[in-house]
Structure formats: C-alpha cells, structure tokens
Amino acid sequence: MTTSTLSPARAAGSPRAQTAPAAYAVTPPRTHRTPPASAASTTSPAVAVPAVRVTAPATERVSTRTSTLPGTREATDRVPLLALLAPLLLFTHGIVDWVDGLDSLDGLRGLGGLGGVAAARDQGALSVAAGVLLVLSVASFAWLAVGLGARLRHLPLAVPTALLAAFGAGATAAVWVGQVTGLIGHTAPAALSFGGGVLTAVALATVLVALTVEGLLPVGSLALAAVSIGIMLLPWGLVPLAALVLLIALAPLTRPVEAD
C-alpha cells in the first residue's frame, strides 16, 4: 500500500483556511468605458470649477442716482426774463402814451390819430399801441408776481398773490377791450380804468416784501421799488422814469437762482 503524502486537513478555525480562497480568487477584469459627452455632463460627478466673477467696467455700470437734466430749471423759471421784460414794456408804454398825448399841443395835432385803426373807432394807432403795451406790461408783472410767489419758502402768500395778480391782469385786458370796442366809454371812472393795474401792483409789492423778509431780496431793491411806485403816482406823466427805477430795483431778480 502506498502511504498518502497529502497533508491532513487543516483545522476549520485556522486563519489561513479562511483567507486562502480569497487569496487565490481570480477577479474578472473590468472594462473601462468612456461615457459620451452628454452622459458625462449628467452622470459624472461635479467637477469643482473656480467661479469667475465678471465685473462690468466702471463706465458701463448703471447708476441708480436720479440726476436732474441740465437746463430744466432755466426752462421753467421765467423770473429772470420777466424781471427784465415787464419794466421795459412799462417804459415803452409810457413813451408811446407820452407821444400820443402830444396831439393836444399846437402844431402837432393829429399825431395821436396817425393811421387810425378801424377797430379802435375814435382812437388812433398810437393810442391802440399804448393800450396794448399797457395790457402786456400788466400781464408780465402778474406773471412775475406768480413766479416770485413760488420762491417763497415760509410765508404762505403764493396762492393769494397769484390770484390777485391774475385778476388784475384780466381786469386790465377786459377794460381795454371794452374801450376799444366802444362798450366802455373813455369817461369811465378811474377805479375801473386803472383798478386792474393797481391790484397787480399790490400783489407784486406784497411778494417783494415777503421776499425781503425771507432774505431772498436785498432791502435796497425793495426801497427802489417803493420809489418807483411813488414816481408813478405823481401827476406829471413820469411813467418811463418810474419804469427805469423799477428795472434797477428788479435787477437782482434777473440772475438765475442756483438749484438747491
């Protein structure tokens, strides 16, 4: 008999008996497949890509600050223009009215009726021109009073003076139209003929006093305005001189106000 040379079976509890099969086990080779680009973008794990912040140039950034268009205040504020135009219209009215009154002198008769206007009936061209200039000057002073009242910051006089000035200008225009068309005679009371201009002058004087109180108008300008009113009330027909004095008084208002 042949003696078997096989080694006896190892004990079941031996550690080599448990690890031997695993050591000799053959692992099948793995086939590496490259997924398509579309699949890789959806199934492959996310690759950390550093974030790049794109900063717009400073010149392309949108500003959220509200800016005022240049020239907006100059386009809406008519006070500098009216402070110059209104006294000049009053000066021209005084000159034309003075020339129109020369027809009462010997050797110059008929000058006031030069080139008579049919709509003016008995009035001449100079008389009609003087009336038109008076209406325009009163309307300019009324508009000036409205613009100056809007500049007031503390005294609530803007609305009352605006209404008073507008009523005075409207009354002056209505009386002149009535006189030209013959609806109102030339012998109308002085309160009716000059009442509109007086109301507008009162509104403008009130606004000038309020501006002086608030420190927006020099005291010297208010004094010159009072002198011009006094000259105008004299019975010597010194309206052109009063208009020149008033033009000097309103000179500070001809400069545009800086926006706050």
Side-chain angles (χ1 to χ4, degrees):
M1 294 182 63
T2 304
T3 304
S4 175
T5 58
L6 295 177
S7 58
R10 300 180 181 271
S14 175
R16 293 189 61 184
Q18 297 178 357
T19 59
Y24 292 98
V26 178
T27 303
R30 297 182 180 179
T31 303
H32 180 72
R33 296 181 181 180
T34 303
S38 60
S41 62
T42 57
T43 60
S44 60
V47 180
V49 179
V52 179
R53 173 178 292 182
V54 180
T55 304
T59 57
E60 296 180 1
R61 295 180 181 176
V62 179
S63 176
T64 58
R65 179 180 300 176
T66 304
S67 58
T68 304
L69 295 178
T72 302
R73 187 177 183 87
E74 288 76 9
T76 56
D77 190 5
R78 305 296 183 184
V79 169
L81 177 61
L82 293 172
L84 178 64
L85 181 62
L88 290 180
L89 286 174
L90 183 61
F91 173 81
T92 308
H93 159 72
I95 294 296
V96 174
D97 187 62
W98 178 73
V99 174
D100 184 31
L102 292 178
D103 58 355
S104 61
L105 302 178
D106 295 336
L108 294 175
R109 295 185 181 278
L111 184 60
L114 180 64
V117 181
R121 297 188 178 183
D122 296 336
Q123 298 188 32
L126 291 180
S127 299
V128 174
V132 171
L133 289 172
L134 177 62
V135 172
L136 292 178
S137 62
V138 173
S140 299
F141 280 116
W143 196 355
L144 178 62
V146 173
L148 292 177
R151 291 186 177 183
L152 296 176
R153 301 176 181 176
H154 305 290
L155 299 177
L157 298 175
V159 176
T161 53
L163 294 177
L164 185 61
F167 180 78
T172 302
V175 170
W176 176 78
V177 171
Q179 290 178 349
V180 170
T181 57
L183 298 177
I184 301 177
H186 297 284
T187 59
L192 180 62
S193 301
F194 304 101
V198 171
L199 293 179
T200 303
V202 170
L204 180 61
T206 304
V207 174
L208 293 179
V209 171
L211 288 174
T212 305
V213 171
E214 292 189 358
L216 301 178
L217 186 69
V219 180
S221 296
L222 182 61
L224 285 178
V227 171
S228 67
I229 294 176
I231 295 175
M232 198 176 303
L233 293 177
L234 295 177
W236 301 328
L238 299 178
V239 175
L241 178 60
L244 292 179
V245 176
L246 186 58
L247 178 62
I248 298 174
L250 299 180
L253 300 176
T254 59
R255 296 188 295 268
V257 178
E258 296 293 336
D260 295 336

